[in-house]
Each structure stands twice: as C-alpha cells, then as structure tokens.
Amino acid sequence: MEVHIAAAALTFVKCGSPPPPPPPPPVESSTKPIPSSDSTIKRLPEGLQVCVVGAGSWGTTIAKIVGSNVMNSKTFDNEVKLWVFEEIVDGRKLSDIINEEHENKKYLPGYKLMPNVVAIPDLMKAVDNADILVFILPPEFIQKICSEIVGHLKPGAFGISLIKRPTAEDIVPAGSSSSGCTNKTHGKIFKELFETLNFRITVVEDNEAVELCGALKNIVALGAGFTDGLGHGDNTKAAVIRLGLMEMIKFSKIFCKRPVHLRTFLESSGIADLITTCYGGRSRKVAEAFAQTGKSIEELEKEILKGQKLQGLPTVKELYKILKKKNMDEEFPLFVCIYQICCEGKSVNDFICCLQTHPGHEDLTKD
C-alpha cells in the first residue's frame, strides 16, 4: 500500500498531462435518501471524518477495514463515506445495493460491509466535511476527480493514495503493507485507520519510492504473465522478478526527487508486493492470456476483468514516454521490451531473449 499527502495529487492536476477522456456518463443519482449509520452506532462528531473515494474491489476492501476500525477508535468519526461511481447492477443502482444490503455485489461479492459505511454517488456530497480522503481509483481518473473537488474541501483536509490491485482474498489472510509518508503525525493516523491483526502497516518516509513501487510492479507482472503464457517455470519467473526489481530501483534512484533508500524495497511495498503481483495480479493474468491467445491486451482486459481496470498497460505506456524523452530507453531493457510487446507488435517470444541478454546478468565482480 502506498500513502502520500493529497497535495501531491492536487499538484498533478496542474502539472500532469491533459486529462483522459471522462468515463461514461454516470447513472442518475439515487432519489432515495442517503442512509445514516446504524441507529445503534454512537457518533463521535469531533472525530476525523473519512471518505473513501472509489468503490472498486480495492476501495470496497479498504472501506470494510476502515468501517470496522473507526468503530473502535476515538480518533475518527464513526461514519465512513464511500464515493461510488453509479452503475446499474441487476436492475438496481449500485449505491442502493451497498446501502441496503451492505455489500458491493459487483466488485466484492460475498463480503459484508459495516453498516456505518455509507455509499454516496454524488462526489461533492461524499467529500463534504471530510478530514481524510482515501483515493482508490484507476490512475487515469485521479486527475479528473481531483480537478472536480479542488476548492470544495474542508480546510486542513489531507489525503492518501492507495493505488493497488488486490483480490477479495486479501481481506482474510495476513498481509503487510508499507505506508510512505513524510508527515509523522499523518503516518500515525494512517496506521490507526488501516491496521488490523491480519493487515499490518509499516510507515516509512520514503514516500516517492513507495509510490513508484506500487506502479512499476504492474509492469514487471506483465513480464511474469508472458513467461506463464509461454509455458516457462518458476525459475524463469524468478529471473523476471529479479531483473524487474533492479530496474525498479534504478528508475526510482534516477527520478525520485528525494534520496531513495534500498531498505524501502525490502518493505512490503517493494519485493513482497512485487512477488504477490507477479503470481496473482490482474496484469499477470491478462499477460498470460495475451501470450496464449494472441488477442490484444485491450480485448482481454474486457473479457477477463469485466469492468475492472488493468494498470500495467497504461503504466508502461507512460513510463516509455518518460524514458524516450530522457533518451534513457536503452538503460531499461526489460521495461522497454514489455512496452514493445504490448504496444508495438513485438513477438512475445522475444521476451525470453530479453531475459537472456539483460545486462543484469553481468558478473558483478568485474570492474
């Protein structure tokens, strides 16, 4: 998990590339009144109010954790707002389903939310009076969302970004996440907000590297998927992970403004999350099918993910633009080869040649 101050996201609104095409027009907001928390729940109006912005599988997972944690804390308000991009599911509005059945039946079926988690399809109403904004959106939408809420936030509000792709199983087994945060006070708040017995949080100050790990791991996972689709074993995938981690570290050292610490890559946000994503993530799954079927990644995204977003492809496209602009594409052969396979028609079989000739295999004892 990556955590950083919302100002970074708001800066992106001003400095980023032109916003992507907006998503399909939202379904008309529900005419039903937004339910408040369960009547048996005692409200703590002086506590920090939390709004989770995004209700996909990861957003709903976090809403489930946060909804439970705030009930046992004097730090937070007991109600958790969940902004939902309205959709029709089996003839009903998704926000109504969540509020009436306390379950996101489209993106996290089978897992009940606490009744204090309130789904709100109106973005302005969702962020109104929020002290903490938890952004859990596909990266291509964050710029648009931040542009809309600028000027509508409570003074002193701060935000965190949890751009990660979990499976529903992440709710149950023990997990670990790393929170990158330069503000120690906020770091303590984040830890209290998210940590459970099965979901431990480590706060580190190397926030830029933590954020990059969360993005670059999805590129490496595409490569891991290629090897799976080509029928290679775990040793080949281990080579992908090792070489991919080397390029992640190199990229972070070059492009992070603050010094990068190697220990950050030994945190859960580094090698642990990289391994997990290379064995079970969406990017790996789609890349495997790509190598097996020859269908386009965009086509497979629709077939396999059924409305969820693949992050490896847009990430590698943006990364390649950066490398070409800096004339550094030859320094990252693994990343570039993955881009060429996904976007330029390079044969997926050439990926094995890339692994075989990668400079990361050179004898480190040589001068």
Side-chain angles (χ1 to χ4, degrees), residues 59-96:
T60 307
T61 299
I62 289 297
K64 177 179 174 65
I65 292 172
V66 171
S68 177
N69 281 357
V70 300
M71 296 301 300
N72 302 310
S73 172
K74 295 182 180 180
T75 303
F76 309 102
D77 186 278
N78 285 166
E79 183 177 84
V80 176
K81 295 179 180 179
L82 175 64
W83 177 69
V84 177
F85 181 78
E86 195 70 284
E87 302 178 61
I88 298 298
V89 179
D90 296 330
R92 299 171 61 194
K93 293 176 179 177
L94 183 57
S95 61
D96 289 343

Side-chain angles (χ1 to χ4, degrees), residues 131-301:
D131 297 286
I132 303 174
L133 300 172
V134 184
F135 293 97
I136 315 182
L137 299 162
E140 58 264 35
F141 298 137
I142 187 66
Q143 186 179 43
K144 179 179 184 295
I145 293 299
C146 287
S147 296
E148 291 179 4
I149 65 177
V150 168
H152 297 277
L153 300 180
K154 181 179 181 179
F158 56 98
I160 58 181
S161 171
L162 309 183
I163 308 299
K164 182 179 168 70
R165 279 82 203 156
T167 60
E169 288 76 15
D170 284 337
I171 298 174
V172 181
S176 246
S177 289
S178 302
S179 301
C181 180
T182 56
N183 185 307
K184 293 184 178 180
T185 299
H186 290 167
K188 292 179 180 179
I189 292 173
F190 300 153
K191 186 176 179 71
E192 182 179 352
L193 185 62
F194 298 117
E195 187 166 67
T196 71
L197 181 62
N198 293 323
F199 190 62
R200 312 305 291 179
I201 303 296
T202 302
V203 179
V204 297
E205 294 186 6
D206 203 355
N207 63 313
E208 290 180 301
V210 168
E211 184 176 2
L212 279 176
C213 283
L216 298 179
K217 55 143 190 187
N218 291 307
I219 299 177
V220 182
L222 289 172
F226 294 157
T227 64
D228 287 341
L230 292 171
H232 293 279
D234 286 341
N235 286 335
T236 305
K237 184 181 288 189
V240 175
I241 293 172
R242 185 179 78 87
L243 297 173
L245 180 62
M246 291 173 64
E247 293 197 6
M248 288 170 60
I249 295 172
K250 183 176 182 178
F251 187 91
S252 299
K253 286 184 173 181
I254 292 173
F255 291 99
C256 286
K257 296 179 181 178
R258 302 173 68 233
V260 171
H261 304 287
L262 284 178
R263 64 177 178 269
T264 300
F265 296 90
L266 300 179
E267 296 286 352
S268 298
S269 58
I271 185 63
D273 201 13
L274 175 62
I275 293 172
T276 299
T277 307
C278 286
Y279 275 90
R282 298 179 196 171
S283 293
R284 187 220 64 81
K285 187 175 183 179
V286 172
E288 178 183 30
F290 173 82
Q292 292 173 336
T293 66
K295 295 181 180 179
S296 71
I297 291 214
E298 291 82 1
E299 184 179 1
L300 290 168
E301 179 184 36

Side-chain angles (χ1 to χ4, degrees), residues 45-56:
E46 72 279 6
L48 297 172
Q49 187 170 94
V50 180
C51 174
V52 178
V53 183

